[in-house]
């Protein structure tokens, strides 16, 4: 799969430049022009995510919320309750309860009740129309029953997709074309779609001078997407607009872009507590790791 291993100290590397180039070519397979054309056609991209438990592949698309169909997923059958043991012949007989006579309905009162119910129903409909959210662009993954299947190999991912499972991604417009045309050698994540969540906490604990802006910013990007797609409120709130991690994210983006703003961004980033930030990110990684379904 894509890039993952990052040396802690480049000076300690004993391999030559030629050896390094050879390793990079082996670890980072190049995607063909035909594969690029396929992913552009279906509007989906392979994504590689590294977590403490391993590295896996999935697929992600961005669509407008009103353009994604809700996929019906059959619930797993619940076990039937065991029948209650029958009582013996000497068991007590149930006491016969005479039905109580019902009072005659007051037509006027019923009319009032029905009228009130009709008014409330109309108000509820008006409120629903007024509060209907505007369509927005949302991330969609191969999520299934609240879990994120991550595949160790492209072949395993392709086999899963070809089985046409009722994932959230199967609700997009190009799903049938994707199922029909996907091939194992197409499943190569670009550098922009490769995320190393397993390295974030260690990098943050190394101190402000060692913080990798691109690593942390990209991790926040995929964490927000997964928090939304997998409905993980704690991840969304920790990375929400105006939160400490969001402020850090903005500062790191400025640092990565360089220029004059980068100097001010570095000062701002230095005011962020190292340990608190590392702990917050550890919580994010743990929450995401808990909903991953690892598949070979």
């Amino acid at each position: 799969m894509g890039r993952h291993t990052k040396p802690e100290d480049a000076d300690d590397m004993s391999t030559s430049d030629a050896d390094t180039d050879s390793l990079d070519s082996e670890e980072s397979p190049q995607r063909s022009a035909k594969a690029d054309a396929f992913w552009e056609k279906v509007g989906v991209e392979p994504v590689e995510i590294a977590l403490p438990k391993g590295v896996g592949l999935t697929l992600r698309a961005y669509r407008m919320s009103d353009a994604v169909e809700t996929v019906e997923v059959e619930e797993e059958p619940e076990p039937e309750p065991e029948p209650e043991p029958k009582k013996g012949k000497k068991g007590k007989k149930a006491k016969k309860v005479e039905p109580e006579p019902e009072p005659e309905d007051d037509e006027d009162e019923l009319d009032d009740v029905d009228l009130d119910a009709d008014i409330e129903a109309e108000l509820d409909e008006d409120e629903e129309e007024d509060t209907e959210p505007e369509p927005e662009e949302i991330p969609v993954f191969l999520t299934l029953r609240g879990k994120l299947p991550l595949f160790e190999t492209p072949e395993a991912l392709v086999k899963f997709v070809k089985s046409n499972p009722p994932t959230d991604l199967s609700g997009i417009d190009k799903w049938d074309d994707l199922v029909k045309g996907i091939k194992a050698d197409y499943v190569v994540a670009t550098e922009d779609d490769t995320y190393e969540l397993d390295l974030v906490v260690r990098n943050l604990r190394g101190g402000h001078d060692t913080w990798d802006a691109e690593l942390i910013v990209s991790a926040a990007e995929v964490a927000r997407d997964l928090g939304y797609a997998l409905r993980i409120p704690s991840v969304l709130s920790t990375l929400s607009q105006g939160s400490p991690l969001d402020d850090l994210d903005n500062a790191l983006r400025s640092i990565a872009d360089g220029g004059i703003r980068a100097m001010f961004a570095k000062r701002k980033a230095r005011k962020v507590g190292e340990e608190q930030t590392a702990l917050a990110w550890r919580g994010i990684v743990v929450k995401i790791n808990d909903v991953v379904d690892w598949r070979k």
Side-chain angles (χ1 to χ4, degrees):
M1 281 183 260
R3 62 178 178 84
H4 176 60
T5 304
K6 286 189 175 181
E8 294 186 6
D9 189 347
D11 295 336
D12 293 338
M13 295 182 65
S14 57
T15 55
S16 65
D17 292 340
D19 292 336
T20 302
D21 292 340
S22 176
L23 287 172
D24 288 342
S25 62
E26 290 178 5
E27 293 180 2
S28 304
Q30 298 299 309
R31 206 162 76 179
S32 66
K34 194 172 182 180
D36 287 338
F38 171 75
W39 294 121
E40 184 176 356
K41 174 186 174 183
V42 297
V44 178
E45 283 290 338
V47 174
E48 180 182 299
I49 303 173
L51 289 162
K53 289 185 179 180
V55 183
L57 293 160
T58 185
L59 300 178
R60 174 180 61 186
Y62 291 104
R63 293 290 191 276
M64 296 304 292
S65 54
D66 59 348
V68 181
E69 295 182 6
T70 302
V71 181
E72 297 294 333
V73 181
E74 293 184 6
E75 297 293 335
E76 296 181 356
E78 297 182 1
E80 296 182 3
E82 296 182 3
E84 295 182 2
K86 295 181 179 180
K87 291 183 178 180
K89 293 183 179 179
K90 292 184 180 181
K92 293 183 180 180
K93 293 183 179 180
K95 184 178 180 182
K96 186 175 181 181
V97 179
E98 296 292 338
E100 296 182 3
E102 296 182 1
E104 295 183 1
D105 294 332
D106 189 309
E107 293 184 0
D108 293 336
E109 290 183 2
L110 287 176
D111 289 342
D112 291 341
V113 172
D114 292 340
L115 183 60
D116 291 342
D118 291 340
I119 293 173
E120 288 180 4
E122 289 180 7
L123 290 174
D124 289 341
E125 288 178 3
D126 293 339
E127 187 176 347
E128 287 178 2
E129 291 177 2
D130 294 339
T131 58
E132 187 174 346
E134 291 290 328
E136 60 179 344
E137 188 177 66
I138 60 171
V140 190
F141 289 85
L142 279 174
T143 42
L144 179 64
R145 294 190 180 91
K147 293 282 187 179
L148 176 69
L150 280 184
F151 301 88
E152 293 184 4
T153 64
E155 290 77 12
L157 185 148
V158 171
K159 183 178 179 181
F160 177 77
V161 170
K162 292 285 188 183
S163 68
N164 210 356
T167 66
D168 291 339
L169 196 64
S170 58
I172 66 171
D173 52 340
K174 297 290 187 178
W175 174 251
D176 291 339
D177 293 336
L178 192 153
V179 174
K180 184 178 179 181
I182 191 172
K183 296 180 181 179
D185 58 353
Y186 290 178
V187 185
V188 178
T190 65
E191 186 173 349
D192 289 340
D193 293 316
T194 301
Y195 304 97
E196 297 169 314
L197 294 179
D198 60 330
L199 300 180
V200 176
V201 175
R202 185 174 67 180
N203 181 255
L204 288 169
R205 284 180 172 160
H208 297 96
D209 293 333
T210 66
W211 284 3
D212 186 332
E214 291 184 3
L215 169 71
I216 300 167
V217 168
S218 67
E221 174 192 323
V222 76
R224 286 189 184 92
D225 284 355
L226 291 172
Y228 181 91
L230 292 162
R231 298 168 181 82
I232 312 176
S234 60
V235 171
L236 293 176
S237 61
T238 305
L239 291 167
S240 63
Q241 187 173 1
S243 67
L245 288 192
D246 182 58
D247 291 341
L248 174 62
D249 186 60
N250 292 331
L252 292 175
R253 286 178 186 274
S254 297
I255 293 172
D257 292 340
I260 297 176
R261 294 181 60 187
M263 292 190 303
F264 298 101
K266 286 180 180 178
R267 292 177 187 174
K268 187 174 182 179
R270 285 185 174 279
K271 296 178 182 179
V272 178
E274 298 172 12
E275 190 61 28
Q276 296 91 329
T277 305
L279 286 173
W281 258 108
R282 183 178 182 277
I284 291 172
V285 174
V286 167
K287 288 291 184 181
I288 292 173
N289 207 67
D290 286 345
V291 293
V292 168
D293 179 11
W294 294 98
R295 303 206 179 193
K296 295 183 179 181

